[in-house]
Amino acid sequence: MSNAFENFDTTPTLTFDPLPQETKKPEPPAVQESAQPALTESILSDEERQMINQFSKQIDLHNSNAILQYGVGTQKKMADFSEAALENVKTKELGEVGDMLSQVVSELKDFDAEEESKGFFGFFKKSSDKMETLKAKYTKAELNVNKICETLESHQITLLKDIASLDKMYEINKTYFKELSMYILAGKQKLEEVRSTELRDLVATAQASNLPEDAQSAKDLESLCTRFEKKLHDLELTRMISIQMAPQIRLVQNNDTMMVEKIQSTIVNTIPLWKSQMVLTLGIEHSTQAAKAQREVTDMTNELLKKNAERLKMVTIETARESERGVVDLETLKQTNASLISTLDEVMKIQSEGHQKRLAAEQEMNRMENELKQKLLSMQK
């Protein structure tokens, strides 16, 4: 953009040179006359007023071609200037800067340090994995953000050049505004002079002579004056475009300036702040994991101490209880003694019953012996 306006003049010039044949007169947009500021010579320097006076004397309203080409050169330069300005506005891709800033936000949102806690066993491995993941995310985000920052810096340089070019555009527009004003003032000065002298004399002559040719001469000059007046109005419309372009240039320049400030703030403030916050997040995660590990170790130590104390209590009590027991328990002796007495009773009972059975058997055998003897004796008789 910086070289786009080098071919435009920055010094007001007045000329009767016609445009090249292939150049067409631009059609200025309709502008309400009430919106036009009053045009006076107060905006001109003494040198410019002198230039207008000299140029006004050279204007020939009897030359139809001169009326047609009056000020067209400046109108053409104004049209070319507007086209160049429009082309530069169309080729600017400031939306890309906004997309990049949004991409920065997206990259930094991806950097997340979510808590992961799933028990003491495997805690240290999971914590290590999580830190590696965070470091990988940080490295990726940092690389992407740095690339975006490089592109933003390039856009910033381009915008700074555009701002300087817009200053030049503003000065060129002021020049064309001054040229148009000088053409209009010179033309109005000539038009007033012709109407107040030559046209007035022709009208008076026609009225006095009452001749058709004198009336036609007055009518022709009046038509030329009317055409020239319309031409001056056309130049005033073009001048109004130049007036409107001045704040438009400043608006674009202001937008570029705000974008440069936004990029600069992002590069020197936001990005370093985000980076420091990411580093701080890693540090906090280190501290959090260390505290968590310490807490887990402390909890496990306390749990082990409680369990060992309980087990020691149980073992000690059992040992003391066993140490106080005799070789044979009294209950065992009572039981064995009762069992022994019962056994002896059973033995005595069995022995008594055996003795009785033996006596009975002996008596039975005696009876049987006597019975047998009796039987034998009875058989001898």
Side-chain angles (χ1 to χ4, degrees), residues 189-203:
Q189 181 176 322
K190 184 64 175 183
L191 183 62
E192 183 181 356
E193 176 187 344
V194 170
R195 281 179 170 171
S196 62
T197 56
E198 185 178 355
L199 180 59
R200 184 191 60 188
D201 293 341
L202 287 177
V203 171

Side-chain angles (χ1 to χ4, degrees), residues 86-105:
L86 178 61
E87 188 64 27
N88 278 280
V89 171
K90 289 194 302 183
T91 56
K92 290 171 68 174
E93 299 179 355
L94 293 182
E96 184 180 352
V97 177
D99 293 339
M100 288 181 181
L101 295 177
S102 299
Q103 190 176 353
V104 170
V105 175

Side-chain angles (χ1 to χ4, degrees), residues 197-374:
T197 56
E198 185 178 355
L199 180 59
R200 184 191 60 188
D201 293 341
L202 287 177
V203 171
T205 300
Q207 290 176 349
S209 66
N210 203 23
L211 294 175
E213 57 270 25
D214 291 338
Q216 186 62 48
S217 296
K219 179 63 177 175
D220 289 344
L221 184 57
E222 175 63 29
S223 297
L224 290 172
C225 289
T226 301
R227 285 182 58 198
F228 191 62
E229 184 178 13
K230 291 180 180 180
K231 183 62 180 179
L232 294 179
H233 179 70
D234 191 22
L235 292 175
E236 287 178 342
L237 295 180
T238 305
R239 176 177 174 270
M240 190 62 200
I241 294 175
S242 178
I243 292 175
Q244 292 176 345
M245 183 167 287
Q248 291 172 353
I249 292 173
R250 288 307 190 204
L251 284 174
V252 174
Q253 191 177 40
N254 184 59
N255 291 338
D256 287 352
T257 302
M258 288 191 296
M259 186 60 68
V260 168
E261 292 172 350
K262 181 65 177 177
I263 293 174
Q264 185 176 14
S265 178
T266 300
I267 293 174
V268 303
N269 293 325
T270 306
I271 298 301
L273 176 61
W274 279 338
K275 285 185 177 181
S276 65
Q277 289 302 308
M278 287 191 288
V279 173
L280 184 60
T281 299
L282 289 172
I284 291 173
E285 185 62 23
H286 275 294
S287 300
T288 300
Q289 290 185 1
K292 186 175 180 181
Q294 182 62 43
R295 183 174 64 252
E296 294 284 347
V297 170
T298 301
D299 291 345
M300 181 57 66
T301 302
N302 291 332
E303 187 68 22
L304 289 173
L305 288 174
K306 290 178 182 179
K307 289 181 178 180
N308 288 335
E310 186 67 24
R311 292 176 61 187
L312 179 61
K313 176 183 176 182
M314 294 175 61
V315 170
T316 303
I317 291 173
E318 291 296 325
T319 302
R321 182 179 290 117
E322 292 299 323
S323 66
E324 293 299 326
R325 290 179 62 183
V327 177
V328 179
D329 291 339
L330 181 60
E331 293 297 326
T332 302
L333 292 175
K334 288 181 179 181
Q335 185 177 356
T336 55
N337 188 62
S339 178
L340 179 59
I341 292 172
S342 176
T343 301
L344 293 174
D345 289 340
E346 290 291 329
V347 169
M348 291 175 64
K349 181 180 178 182
I350 292 171
Q351 288 177 349
S352 178
E353 290 177 352
H355 179 71
Q356 293 297 327
K357 288 180 179 180
R358 287 193 299 272
L359 290 177
E362 185 178 355
Q363 292 175 0
E364 181 65 24
M365 286 188 294
N366 289 331
R367 186 190 65 79
M368 292 173 58
E369 181 181 355
N370 291 329
E371 185 179 359
L372 179 59
K373 288 178 178 181
Q374 289 297 328

Side-chain angles (χ1 to χ4, degrees), residues 9-214:
D9 297 329
T10 57
T11 304
T13 56
L14 300 178
T15 178
F16 289 105
D17 293 338
L19 293 175
Q21 296 298 321
E22 67 273 13
T23 305
K24 296 182 180 180
K25 183 178 70 171
E27 291 292 337
V31 180
Q32 295 181 358
E33 293 185 31
S34 59
Q36 299 182 19
L39 177 59
T40 63
E41 291 187 1
S42 61
I43 65 172
L44 305 176
S45 64
D46 292 338
E47 182 181 355
E48 290 169 342
R49 290 192 189 97
Q50 185 178 0
M51 185 186 303
I52 286 176
N53 292 332
Q54 293 176 353
F55 188 74
S56 177
K57 294 176 182 179
Q58 301 175 31
I59 299 175
D60 183 8
L61 296 188
H62 296 281
N63 187 339
S64 298
N65 188 56
I67 294 176
L68 180 65
Q69 299 296 338
Y70 186 79
V72 172
T74 302
Q75 285 183 310
K76 176 60 171 62
K77 289 190 291 185
M78 189 68 196
D80 293 341
F81 171 75
S82 299
E83 183 67 24
L86 178 61
E87 188 64 27
N88 278 280
V89 171
K90 289 194 302 183
T91 56
K92 290 171 68 174
E93 299 179 355
L94 293 182
E96 184 180 352
V97 177
D99 293 339
M100 288 181 181
L101 295 177
S102 299
Q103 190 176 353
V104 170
V105 175
S106 176
E107 288 290 343
L108 296 170
K109 280 184 177 180
D110 287 340
F111 182 78
D112 191 7
E114 295 181 355
E115 188 77 16
E116 291 183 12
S117 177
K118 297 182 180 179
F120 177 76
F121 299 103
F123 166 76
F124 293 102
K125 181 179 184 300
K126 292 177 181 177
S127 298
S128 176
D129 291 343
K130 181 178 179 182
M131 284 305 304
E132 292 301 321
T133 301
L134 286 176
K135 289 178 181 178
K137 285 184 177 181
Y138 172 79
T139 302
K140 177 178 177 293
E142 185 182 31
L143 289 175
N144 291 338
V145 167
N146 287 339
K147 289 180 181 178
I148 294 171
C149 286
E150 290 177 1
T151 307
L152 287 175
E153 288 174 350
S154 176
H155 277 285
Q156 186 182 28
I157 294 173
T158 301
L159 288 171
L160 289 173
K161 292 180 180 179
D162 289 351
I163 291 171
S165 296
L166 287 167
D167 279 331
K168 188 173 182 180
M169 283 178 61
Y170 189 82
E171 294 302 321
I172 294 172
N173 186 66
K174 282 176 59 178
T175 299
Y176 293 159
F177 170 77
K178 184 66 69 69
E179 279 188 12
L180 290 167
S181 299
M182 293 170 69
Y183 272 114
I184 293 169
L185 289 172
K188 286 186 175 182
Q189 181 176 322
K190 184 64 175 183
L191 183 62
E192 183 181 356
E193 176 187 344
V194 170
R195 281 179 170 171
S196 62
T197 56
E198 185 178 355
L199 180 59
R200 184 191 60 188
D201 293 341
L202 287 177
V203 171
T205 300
Q207 290 176 349
S209 66
N210 203 23
L211 294 175
E213 57 270 25
D214 291 338

